[in-house]
Amino acid sequence: MSSLSRMLMITAFAAVAGIGAVTARQLLMVNSPVAPEINGFVLQQPRLLPAFELLNGQAETFTGADFAGAWSFLYFGFTYCPDICPTAMVEMAKLKTLLSASHPDLLAEFYLVSVDPERDTPQRVQEYVTYFDDNFKGLTGDLEDISNLAQTASVIHVIEPSADGVSYEVGHSSTITLLDPQGSIRAIFREPLRAATLADDVSQVLSYAELMKE
Amino acid sequence: MVAICLQAYTGLESFNHGVPVMQKLKTTIVEPASRIEKGIVVGWAVLVFVVIMVAAGLARFIVADISAQEPDNAVIARTQPSPDVAAGTIAVSDLWIRATPPGARTAAAYLYIRNSGDNDRLLAVRSERARSVEIHTTQEQSGMMRMSRLDSLAVPANSDLQLGPGGYHLMLVEISESFDPGDSVLMTLMFEKAGAMDVNFAVRDAR
Ligand SMILES: [Cu+2]
């Protein structure tokens, strides 16, 4: 047989297999819950966090295991930021209020993870977050651990050099990452971060997570 | 995934150098040699399936990513507050500073600018309460929110410009003390044509 007809056969076979695969996928999808449409991403498979060691606002070690037991909302930002971070923190505080009304039994924790550990000491992060809500928590630590965690949460961050080396800016993704009570990522909410939209989206993600259990 | 790819790759090699396939598939009794061919066929099916699943997954992600991208235009005011300070053809209003959290070293100031004359530019801003005041814009670039410093801010002829949260703002760098609700902060705005304007910003708790 010529190599041309062999190639044709391979192509035909690939096409048939492809159509089969797509059909099979469609059929399978019918039985699994459909991920809700939100302003961001819902993960169909919970994403595990990498091993990391950070410091909380009391300068105590904080690891992935410390996320267990409650739904966690993570915002990656920095306290030197005058505009976008405070705006996001305000929306996150409003989200907390909305959720405590709509889901009174939900255990939820809210974190600012600093992407500027050079300037953000545990104490600094703590005084910053509690300005927005008494129960907000701050995390900081080694840049490497922060980067590992950020990367898993699809957050990019970069320190922009400044002339004086002190008043530098940090560019970062402005998203809220939602972890389930097992500490795995379930959803990522993106800008514009508005409390009302977030509350609706969170509610949908929680229902979806409930369906996925079955 | 790597293992499957390797298997498929080996399969391709066999297709090119091995015995004719068609003939083997026609025979009903499976001989050892054609079992290998069957393995290859299965390998191919698995590869194609995996590729399609990955492509479908990626397409979904990419489409969602693109559709969620919003153009980060300058914030255009929806309301038009009445100007309260005017210098020639430039009028500014709704001047406010976000109250600062404890320990803050920076602050952001916002205002509404109306230009009823020719093209003008905001060149610089000064305040005694900060080491420097920079004109900033916040933009989404490659998935990151980044503030960038502008040398000046154009205020085109007969137009309005809103500086507001998440967009253009004045950034007060290395502030000397915290900005508390109720404070009034004097700043000087330097326009290219309209000249210097001394204006007061009200500190607001934006929580
Ligand atoms: Cu700024």
Side-chain angles (χ1 to χ4, degrees):
Chain A
M1 200 189 329
S2 72
S3 66
L4 178 68
S5 45
R6 247 182 261 157
M7 282 315 291
L8 278 172
M9 213 193 81
I10 295 167
T11 313
F13 184 79
V16 170
I19 292 162
V22 169
T23 314
R25 190 167 187 270
Q26 292 290 327
L27 289 172
L28 287 170
M29 293 281 277
V30 175
N31 287 325
S32 61
V34 179
E37 295 287 324
I38 61 162
N39 180 31
F41 309 106
V42 180
L43 280 73
Q44 273 156 348
Q45 290 299 317
R47 191 188 292 171
L48 295 170
L49 296 183
F52 66 88
E53 213 171 86
L54 295 177
L55 294 172
N56 67 13
Q58 285 70 44
E60 298 155 349
T61 304
F62 187 101
T63 67
D66 293 305
F67 284 129
W71 289 84
S72 304
F73 294 81
L74 273 58
Y75 185 82
F76 292 81
F78 64 117
T79 73
Y80 197 84
C81 165
D83 180 54
I84 195 86
C85 301
T87 306
M89 296 304 283
V90 168
E91 294 302 320
M92 203 156 77
K94 286 180 184 162
L95 169 66
K96 179 171 178 271
T97 308
L98 290 174
L99 287 178
S100 61
S102 64
H103 297 73
D105 298 329
L106 185 78
L107 293 171
E109 296 286 357
F110 297 80
Y111 298 87
L112 171 76
V113 184
S114 176
V115 287
D116 180 21
E118 175 86 27
R119 288 182 299 208
D120 287 341
T121 60
Q123 192 192 353
R124 174 77 198 102
V125 175
Q126 182 67 14
E127 70 176 347
Y128 181 82
V129 295
T130 50
Y131 170 77
F132 297 97
D133 186 286
D134 288 343
N135 295 312
F136 275 11
K137 294 179 158 68
L139 296 175
T140 185
D142 285 337
L143 192 56
E144 203 186 319
D145 287 78
I146 292 166
S147 296
N148 284 341
L149 183 57
Q151 197 181 359
T152 309
S154 305
V155 166
I156 333 170
H157 58 105
V158 63
I159 290 173
E160 325 258 5
S162 75
D164 63 1
V166 180
S167 57
Y168 58 87
E169 300 294 345
V170 186
H172 59 91
S173 308
S174 184
T175 59
I176 292 176
T177 307
L178 177 59
L179 308 183
D180 63 23
Q182 287 72 48
S184 295
I185 302 177
R186 299 303 286 257
I188 296 166
F189 308 103
R190 48 181 299 156
E191 286 279 351
L193 299 170
R194 296 285 169 270
T197 315
L198 286 167
D200 284 349
D201 287 352
V202 169
S203 183
Q204 292 201 60
V205 174
L206 293 174
S207 309
Y208 177 65
E210 203 54 47
L211 285 173
M212 294 292 278
K213 269 190 206 166
E214 290 159 11
Chain B
M1 185 67 197
V2 173
I4 294 163
C5 287
L6 280 175
Q7 187 190 349
Y9 183 70
T10 319
L12 187 65
E13 289 296 295
S14 307
F15 264 112
N16 289 337
H17 305 297
V19 286
V21 184
M22 220 47 185
Q23 216 178 331
K24 287 288 173 191
L25 287 176
K26 274 180 192 164
T27 58
T28 43
I29 300 156
V30 180
E31 288 163 24
S34 76
R35 241 182 254 152
I36 295 166
E37 299 291 357
K38 278 201 167 174
I40 290 160
V41 167
V42 170
W44 264 99
V46 169
L47 171 75
V48 168
F49 184 80
V50 166
V51 165
I52 285 165
M53 294 304 268
V54 167
L58 277 178
R60 217 183 135 78
F61 204 75
I62 289 162
V63 167
D65 200 28
I66 290 166
S67 64
Q69 296 274 355
E70 285 199 1
D72 205 13
N73 295 331
V75 181
I76 308 295
R78 289 185 200 93
T79 56
Q80 299 191 343
S82 57
D84 59 12
V85 185
T89 57
I90 292 279
V92 294
S93 57
D94 199 18
L95 307 113
W96 68 284
I97 291 175
R98 181 192 295 279
T100 52
R105 289 160 61 185
T106 59
Y110 310 103
L111 71 153
Y112 185 82
I113 305 172
R114 166 166 287 184
N115 182 6
S116 53
D118 293 339
N119 288 342
D120 206 340
R121 295 184 153 271
L122 177 61
L123 298 176
V125 184
R126 278 196 301 270
S127 171
E128 296 213 325
R129 305 251 323 241
R131 193 187 66 196
S132 60
V133 182
E134 298 174 352
I135 304 164
H136 276 198
T137 177
T138 302
Q139 282 179 318
E140 183 162 357
Q141 274 173 18
S142 46
M144 281 190 282
M145 299 304 282
R146 305 172 91 143
M147 294 198 306
S148 30
R149 209 173 81 88
L150 303 174
D151 290 330
S152 65
L153 180 60
V155 191
N158 299 305
S159 71
D160 299 332
L161 190 64
Q162 175 79 60
L163 283 76
Y168 293 119
H169 57 272
L170 304 177
M171 176 158 164
L172 293 91
V173 181
E174 298 299 331
I175 57 177
S176 51
E177 57 189 313
S178 68
F179 290 92
D180 301 318
D183 286 0
S184 180
V185 179
L186 181 69
M187 297 220 265
T188 306
L189 309 175
M190 294 288 301
F191 286 94
E192 190 176 55
K193 296 199 179 107
M197 294 171 75
D198 287 336
V199 288
N200 277 303
F201 286 73
V203 177
R204 266 192 231 160
D205 188 342
R207 281 178 294 178

